[in-house]
Amino acid sequence: MHKTLEFPDLLRLIDERATAFRAAIAAAPSLDLPVPTCPEWTLSDLVQHIGEGRRRWAATVAAGPDATSRTPAQGEAVAPQEREAVLAWLAASTELLLAALREAGPDQGCFTGWGNTQTPHTAGGVARHQVQEIAVHTYDAQVAVGAPQPLPAEVALDGVEENLFITAFTTSAWPHKPTAFDFHATEGRSWRLTVDGDGARTTRLPATGEDPDAAGLSICGTASDLVLYLYQRISVDSLQLDGDPELLALLHAWEPEDWA
């Protein structure tokens, strides 16, 4: 049974993943370590991205529904150099974001950065995406220090859907024979990405009226591996495929104008 995470859960998970990110940074022998999953970045670059990014999202959420773009970061936007100061700066960055989200509440309109998708332009939508942003970058930091961990199941199960709802929605016609891609998490949840003349959209499975044989390709793995694949952190070889793998090449080559 699918269960969408509630707003307090999203805030809790942002905090938990940010804590895990700081733990990886604290364990690193040097912030000059390369981050293999973020080519040409070091841990220092990743720290700057996470800290400044959370401060910019804090300001964007606080700006309310009239904001038309992401706004400048709240407070000090540049990471300090000394390790303990870096960790404190990261913690403060997270708290600024959480405070802005708490003040706004889940239903307040908010600039999100994504266009016409299946995810609303609200502070709740931002919070849901921030869980995944921090979770995937925590994995990046863990890879850099040689201690990668799967994304927590609670995070990853929501992350498969959240990613598909934003990055795989379009009203541009699929230029090939209509088909569907089914994503099956071994934890027991499934989603279908349908592509046809009406564009692309994702539904939860099982769904009333869905043809169980409609999928041209099924992709199966842990929820963590599905998320990491969708964010291009691991290859599709880490997953189990059933159907026509050539369809993936068509999907990846497709670039509709409104693709998020």
Side-chain angles (χ1 to χ4, degrees):
M1 180 178 178
H2 283 266
K3 180 184 177 183
T4 301
L5 292 172
E6 299 292 335
F7 192 63
D9 293 322
L10 297 174
L11 300 188
R12 170 177 56 81
L13 291 170
I14 289 171
D15 191 35
E16 288 180 4
R17 289 297 85 204
T19 299
F21 180 83
R22 294 196 301 275
I25 298 305
S30 169
L31 296 187
D32 292 329
L33 285 178
V35 182
T37 47
C38 298
E40 301 184 5
W41 275 20
T42 65
L43 274 179
S44 181
D45 295 321
L46 188 56
V47 163
Q48 179 62 36
H49 174 73
I50 284 291
E52 180 185 9
R54 291 344 90 194
R55 288 166 182 258
R56 290 189 67 188
W57 277 115
T60 301
V61 171
D66 294 332
T68 58
S69 65
R70 287 180 65 188
T71 56
Q74 286 188 9
E76 179 54 59
V78 179
Q81 298 300 308
E82 193 271 326
R83 185 71 62 94
E84 289 303 316
V86 164
L87 296 174
W89 179 77
L90 285 169
S93 302
T94 301
E95 186 49 44
L96 284 170
L97 173 61
L98 291 172
L101 289 168
R102 292 188 198 101
E103 178 66 23
D107 299 322
Q108 176 181 287
C110 183
F111 173 80
T112 60
W114 51 78
N116 183 23
T117 73
Q118 291 178 248
T119 295
H121 300 274
T122 61
V126 169
R128 192 182 189 197
H129 188 65
Q130 286 300 300
V131 173
Q132 302 306 319
E133 172 92 359
I134 300 172
V136 172
H137 282 318
T138 295
Y139 174 82
D140 293 330
Q142 292 170 342
V143 168
V145 300
Q149 298 292 322
L151 274 61
E154 184 180 21
V155 171
L157 285 167
D158 196 58
V160 179
E161 179 173 294
E162 201 271 344
N163 182 283
L164 292 171
F165 275 13
I166 290 179
T167 66
F169 177 83
T170 179
T171 56
S172 298
W174 170 250
H176 309 287
K177 179 181 177 182
T179 190
F181 300 82
D182 283 356
F183 293 83
H184 300 293
T186 55
E187 292 87 347
R189 295 188 195 172
S190 298
W191 300 262
R192 171 165 293 174
L193 171 61
T194 300
V195 289
D196 55 24
D198 293 325
R201 62 215 169 269
T202 298
T203 53
R204 297 170 175 174
L205 293 177
T208 302
E210 290 280 11
D211 178 0
D213 299 320
L217 180 65
S218 292
I219 305 168
C220 181
T222 65
S224 176
D225 281 350
L226 289 174
V227 171
L228 294 174
Y229 164 68
L230 289 169
Y231 279 96
Q232 301 178 29
R233 264 47 182 193
I234 62 173
S235 76
V236 74
D237 295 337
S238 303
L239 302 167
Q240 179 182 336
L241 303 183
D242 183 14
D244 183 3
E246 296 300 318
L247 289 172
L248 272 182
L250 294 178
L251 184 66
H252 291 315
W254 187 33
E255 296 182 353
E257 291 184 1
D258 58 347
W259 203 255

